[in-house]
Amino acid sequence: MDELTLVVATPFKKKATSSLSIKDFEFALSFDLKWMAPDLASRIRDKAIRSRLLRLEGNRLIPAFAIEKIELPQGFKPSGNIFSEKTPIEELITMIAAKTGKTEKEAIAEINTHQERLGDLVDIEITALVVAKEKGCDIESIYQKLYDKVFNRE
């Protein structure tokens, strides 16, 4: 399971709710769980929204994945790597998994199956973009990054 997904899921699971206010989400990460400073909790919130793991409706955060399917490992704590940026394909894999309720491993397998059907005629990132679009993911935030990566090669 993706570390960001586990971090995002934890406040919802601990409070047994399907939505949290922004303040409650950040408070849970910072003070209840004592995982990070409030400014880092805000960064996690923003990263989760950009990755389409969370939706913002009014001032409420709503997970875009099935919280009940997430099992938190005993003694789980996020690593410092949680703040590193994902590559576009990693973001697409996360989106596909969240949208379909599958694991990231299953999302990767589906992308690979599509890639084989295309006979490796396109980059794997483009295949992931196609799969994400087919699954109904909002790819707008990743499209430009991927376009730049694929078409602005040196």
Side-chain angles (χ1 to χ4, degrees), residues 19-145:
S19 75
L20 287 168
S21 71
I22 292 170
K23 179 183 163 195
D24 288 342
F25 178 79
E26 292 175 5
F27 190 90
L29 293 176
S30 299
F31 300 107
D32 292 345
L33 296 165
K34 296 178 177 54
W35 282 351
M36 59 195 70
D39 63 318
L40 295 179
S42 296
R43 285 181 52 199
I44 290 293
R45 178 206 65 220
D46 293 342
K47 187 174 184 176
I49 291 169
R50 278 193 315 274
S51 297
R52 305 291 194 254
L53 289 173
L54 287 176
R55 291 189 324 270
L56 183 59
E57 293 184 7
N59 74 336
R60 307 290 294 174
L61 295 170
I62 300 168
F65 57 94
I67 291 289
E68 63 277 358
K69 291 185 179 179
I70 303 295
E71 288 192 33
L72 300 173
Q74 184 77 18
F76 171 76
K77 281 185 125 177
S79 69
N81 297 335
I82 190 90
F83 298 104
S84 64
E85 289 298 312
K86 286 186 172 185
T87 64
I89 193 160
E90 290 171 329
E91 289 183 54
L92 288 165
I93 290 165
T94 299
M95 278 185 193
I96 293 166
K99 186 73 172 182
T100 62
K102 295 181 179 181
T103 66
E104 289 194 359
K105 190 174 182 178
E106 291 169 322
I108 291 167
E110 188 163 351
I111 292 166
N112 288 336
T113 299
H114 273 69
Q115 183 73 3
E116 288 171 11
R117 277 192 241 139
L118 293 170
D120 296 323
L121 294 173
V122 297
D123 290 336
I124 191 72
E125 291 91 349
I126 301 301
T127 304
L129 193 67
V130 169
V131 171
K133 184 70 173 170
E134 286 176 356
K135 299 299 179 189
C137 298
D138 180 0
I139 60 171
E140 186 176 325
S141 65
I142 294 179
Y143 180 80
Q144 191 61 48
K145 283 193 270 186

